[in-house]
């Protein structure tokens, strides 16, 4: 049994309750509620040009958001557009291609893409010819490393062999299948019926066509889930044998996501049942050899994520955990978020406003945030905790030229209760080190360094986050 599985078996339920707070997932810092409309196209281009001066060689990560789906899943909080109109989708593909082309003109020669990802929505809701049209246009704009990661999120119910063949022709090597849960009553409640055997056959088709990594996304805390029903879902997942597993905690925020009101709150598992489901998943996956990467991810022992975490080089961005460190992220499409060293910039969320801006030749930025030096230091600390489970005081001084213990004296004091509860090693003189139990409760630990969150909560704001457990 792994250390994480052993830890969650012995964890006190009162500790789970104590640290089941609402807080960020830290795909970024500062987090999205801190972003403002003061950041627009001018600021975006300023940062793009500053990071693409002559000689710039930092690698690139490219993300394309495809917002379209055929039906709405009631649990989903993603930016989704329900349509069957090929005309709407065709216009969107042309807009994304135009947006990418405009940004590509600013990229310094020699900068190469090491990560390329399509997310949604459902990217394979695009018909295969339209998907091919998008990929042929966008991939031609950039240079790629030979071993670049090319990944996509798909719904196996609408993804055909023709889709998979298009993806392989463009070098896609990782594929993630949304599953969420296989229990029929849960599927009905979230409006997402999915057959287990068809999903298994689809995964095998992906492997047969040459995808190096086939991954599964699950969600716990959904309506009518119980420990028994989720064990049945897990048994199916073990047969599919994915290379990576993401297990997300359902965030029920009907005040923020109106269609979640179709889910009856009384149908959701209570805190004790959610904890039991999480325990069962961690124990089950780790007993079958998966490494618990942290928070919501599992990977096989020889997977890049596992090896990178052991080496202390794991990173986190809007696509989740990644081994492709140090890349500038350029994101295209409605609501897509670009990440540069001192900037986050999010595109327009409204399809018409996005398309109109692109067709006028403008960067379709709606909002964002410029990072201060303090933001960048705190982001580094938070990401080290989230990804590599330790923060070296010496490494911080080397990178930022500040004394770690002096700069974060107040934050280190606030970590003492975590150490007292066994979530951190008590000796923090050289580094902060997260324990096995702390790995399961990592988000509240990271929140100790979130200065903006603390200030917002003093003002009575920033409550629209998912629970940490």
């Amino acid at each position: 049994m792994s250390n994480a599985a052993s830890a969650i078996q012995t964890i006190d339920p009162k500790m789970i309750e104590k640290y089941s707070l609402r807080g960020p997932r830290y795909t970024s810092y500062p987090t999205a509620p801190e972003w403002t409309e003061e950041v627009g196209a001018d600021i975006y281009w300023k940062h793009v040009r500053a990071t693409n001066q002559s000689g710039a060689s930092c690698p690139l990560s490219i993300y394309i958001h495809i917002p379209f789906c055929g039906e709405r899943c009631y649990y989903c909080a993603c930016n989704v557009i329900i349509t069957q109109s090929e005309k709407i989708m065709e216009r969107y593909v042309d807009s994304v291609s135009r947006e990418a082309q405009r940004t590509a003109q600013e990229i310094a020669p020699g900068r190469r893409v090491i990560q390329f990802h399509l997310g949604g929505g459902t990217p394979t809701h695009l018909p295969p010819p339209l998907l091919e049209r998008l990929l042929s246009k966008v991939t031609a704009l950039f240079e790629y490393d030979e071993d670049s990661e090319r990944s996509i999120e798909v719904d196996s119910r609408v993804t055909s062999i023709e889709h998979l063949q298009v993806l392989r022709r463009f070098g896609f090597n990782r594929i993630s299948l949304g599953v969420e849960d296989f229990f029929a009553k849960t599927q009905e409640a979230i409006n997402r019926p999915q057959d287990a055997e068809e999903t298994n056959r689809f995964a095998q088709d992906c492997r047969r066509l040459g995808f190096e990594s086939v991954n599964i996304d699950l969600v716990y805390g959904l309506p009518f889930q119980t420990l028994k029903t989720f064990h049945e879902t897990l048994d199916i997942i073990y047969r599919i044998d994915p290379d990576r597993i993401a297990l997300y905690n359902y965030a029920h925020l009907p005040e923020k996501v109106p269609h979640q009101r179709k889910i009856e709150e009384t149908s959701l598992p209570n805190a004790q049942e959610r904890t039991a489901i999480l325990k069962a998943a961690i124990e089950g996956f780790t007993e079958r050899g998966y490494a618990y990467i942290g928070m919501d991810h599992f990977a096989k022992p020889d997977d890049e994520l596992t090896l990178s975490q052991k080496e202390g080089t794991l990173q986190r961005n809007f696509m989740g955990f990644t081994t492709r460190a140090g890349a500038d992220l350029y994101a295209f499409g409605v609501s897509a978020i670009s990440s540069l060293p001192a900037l986050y910039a999010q595109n327009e969320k409204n399809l018409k406003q996005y398309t109109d801006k692109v067709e006028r030749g403008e960067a379709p930025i709606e909002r964002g945030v410029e990072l201060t030096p303090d933001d960048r230091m705190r982001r580094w600390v938070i990401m080290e905790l989230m990804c590599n489970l330790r923060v070296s005081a010496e490494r911080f001084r080397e990178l930022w030229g500040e004394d770690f213990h002096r700069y974060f004296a107040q934050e280190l004091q606030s970590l003492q209760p975590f150490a007292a509860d066994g979530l951190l090693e008590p000796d923090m003189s050289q580094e902060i080190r997260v324990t096995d139990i702390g790995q399961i409760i990592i988000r509240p630990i990271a929140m100790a360094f979130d200065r903006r969150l603390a200030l917002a909560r003093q003002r009575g704001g920033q409550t629209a986050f998912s629970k940490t457990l």
Side-chain angles (χ1 to χ4, degrees):
M1 183 178 294
S2 78
N3 292 340
S6 299
I8 201 165
Q9 275 191 336
T10 60
I11 197 168
D12 185 343
K14 290 182 179 178
M15 190 178 297
I16 294 284
E17 184 178 350
K18 177 180 179 180
Y19 290 110
S20 185
L21 316 170
R22 290 199 180 274
R25 301 185 66 82
Y26 292 116
T27 51
S28 71
Y29 181 80
T31 56
E34 293 294 317
W35 303 358
T36 73
E37 294 182 1
E38 293 176 9
V39 171
D42 290 346
I43 290 176
Y44 171 75
W45 289 126
K46 179 186 75 173
H47 283 264
V48 169
R49 287 162 185 152
T51 54
N52 281 283
Q53 295 178 358
S54 178
S57 59
C58 174
L60 304 175
S61 181
I62 303 295
Y63 173 78
I64 298 177
H65 187 73
I66 310 296
F68 306 114
C69 287
E71 288 188 273
R72 188 175 297 283
C73 301
Y74 298 152
Y75 73 94
C76 180
C78 298
N79 186 1
V80 168
I81 297 168
I82 308 301
T83 186
Q84 299 292 346
S85 169
E86 286 197 28
K87 183 176 181 181
I88 289 174
M89 291 187 277
E90 184 175 355
R91 184 184 180 195
Y92 182 76
V93 163
D94 290 342
S95 294
V96 170
S97 303
R98 182 179 294 186
E99 181 195 2
Q101 182 180 32
R102 176 66 186 87
T103 298
Q105 294 171 358
E106 303 288 343
I107 302 299
R111 299 188 70 185
R112 302 178 73 84
V113 175
I114 60 173
Q115 185 181 43
F116 181 49
H117 184 76
L118 267 62
T122 305
T124 48
H125 188 59
L126 296 179
L130 203 50
L131 178 64
E132 183 162 22
R133 176 168 160 179
L134 173 68
L135 293 175
S136 63
K137 286 187 174 184
V138 174
T139 57
L141 299 171
F142 303 95
E143 299 179 54
Y144 291 80
D145 263 8
E146 287 185 11
D147 65 343
S148 62
E149 177 182 283
R150 305 191 192 198
S151 57
I152 185 171
E153 303 163 15
V154 305
D155 181 343
S156 62
R157 302 172 302 167
V158 302
T159 306
S160 65
I161 291 294
E162 289 75 22
H163 280 112
L164 297 179
Q165 290 169 337
V166 169
L167 293 168
R168 288 297 296 137
R169 283 201 295 275
F170 284 90
F172 278 73
N173 45 33
R174 293 190 182 276
I175 193 162
S176 292
L177 323 181
V179 167
E180 326 325 341
D181 191 288
F182 281 119
F183 181 46
K185 193 172 182 180
T186 296
Q187 292 182 345
E188 181 182 0
I190 64 174
N191 195 36
R192 201 181 193 285
Q194 183 162 349
D195 182 78
E197 290 308 314
E198 288 180 3
T199 305
N200 193 2
R201 283 194 294 272
F202 179 84
Q204 304 319 315
D205 284 340
C206 292
R207 292 184 171 116
R208 178 174 54 80
L209 288 170
F211 286 90
E212 297 169 11
S213 183
V214 178
N215 312 320
I216 294 276
D217 293 347
L218 300 172
V219 178
Y220 74 99
L222 292 174
F224 303 110
Q225 277 181 343
T226 66
L227 181 58
K228 180 180 183 297
T229 67
F230 205 72
H231 266 301
E232 293 169 356
T233 289
L234 293 178
D235 287 340
I236 297 167
I237 298 301
Y238 302 147
R239 293 202 301 272
I240 296 173
D241 192 31
D243 299 278
R244 297 178 185 176
I245 300 158
L247 176 65
Y248 298 111
N249 182 6
Y250 170 57
H252 190 61
L253 300 168
E255 68 282 359
K256 185 178 179 183
V257 187
H259 56 264
Q260 287 187 350
R261 295 170 192 159
K262 295 178 182 290
I263 294 176
E264 294 288 339
E265 289 202 34
T266 55
S267 70
L268 300 175
N270 61 30
Q272 291 76 21
E273 193 79 32
R274 291 167 72 104
T275 300
I277 291 170
L278 177 61
K279 282 186 175 184
I282 293 177
E283 291 168 8
F285 293 140
T286 56
E287 283 173 1
R288 284 160 180 78
Y290 289 91
Y292 180 43
I293 300 301
M295 195 167 72
D296 48 24
H297 278 68
F298 303 81
K300 289 189 173 180
D302 58 352
D303 191 275
E304 284 183 334
L305 293 184
T306 307
L307 300 176
S308 183
Q309 188 175 64
K310 286 181 179 178
E311 295 167 358
T313 58
L314 192 63
Q315 299 286 311
R316 187 165 172 79
N317 61 22
F318 295 105
M319 292 167 273
F321 289 108
T322 177
T323 62
R324 310 298 164 130
D328 289 352
L329 170 61
Y330 287 96
F332 307 117
V334 65
S335 78
I337 301 170
S338 296
S339 174
L340 301 178
L343 177 75
Y344 293 113
Q346 183 171 28
N347 281 355
E348 292 282 355
K349 300 185 194 70
N350 178 275
L351 179 61
K352 184 178 187 306
Q353 291 173 359
Y354 165 80
T355 303
D356 287 349
K357 280 190 174 182
V358 171
E359 291 181 352
R360 290 198 300 266
E362 302 174 16
I365 306 301
E366 178 183 309
R367 63 176 190 149
V369 64
E370 291 186 281
L371 279 67
T372 66
D374 177 73
D375 289 332
R376 296 180 70 179
M377 286 187 277
R378 290 176 185 275
R379 175 174 63 181
W380 183 84
V381 172
I382 288 170
M383 295 307 170
E384 285 293 291
L385 285 169
M386 298 290 292
C387 298
N388 300 310
L389 308 175
R390 60 185 182 272
V391 180
S392 165
E394 180 180 357
R395 181 66 176 147
F396 179 85
R397 181 183 55 78
E398 290 172 354
L399 287 173
W400 305 104
E402 296 279 358
D403 181 273
F404 181 76
H405 291 86
R406 185 181 303 116
Y407 196 89
F408 292 115
Q410 184 176 342
E411 288 80 3
L412 289 167
Q413 188 63 35
S414 73
L415 293 180
Q416 293 305 316
F418 294 104
D421 283 340
L423 308 183
L424 297 173
E425 297 291 350
D427 183 2
M428 302 185 202
S429 59
Q430 302 299 319
E431 67 177 7
I432 301 170
R433 183 174 287 273
V434 180
T435 65
D436 296 327
I437 295 177
Q439 184 179 9
I440 298 163
I441 308 177
I442 191 64
R443 287 163 69 187
I445 297 172
M447 285 160 62
F449 290 90
D450 190 335
R451 182 171 178 268
R452 288 177 179 255
L453 178 64
L455 292 173
R457 287 185 168 170
Q458 287 174 14
R459 300 190 299 266
Q462 285 214 13
T463 58
F465 290 114
S466 64
K467 283 198 170 184
T468 55
L469 289 168

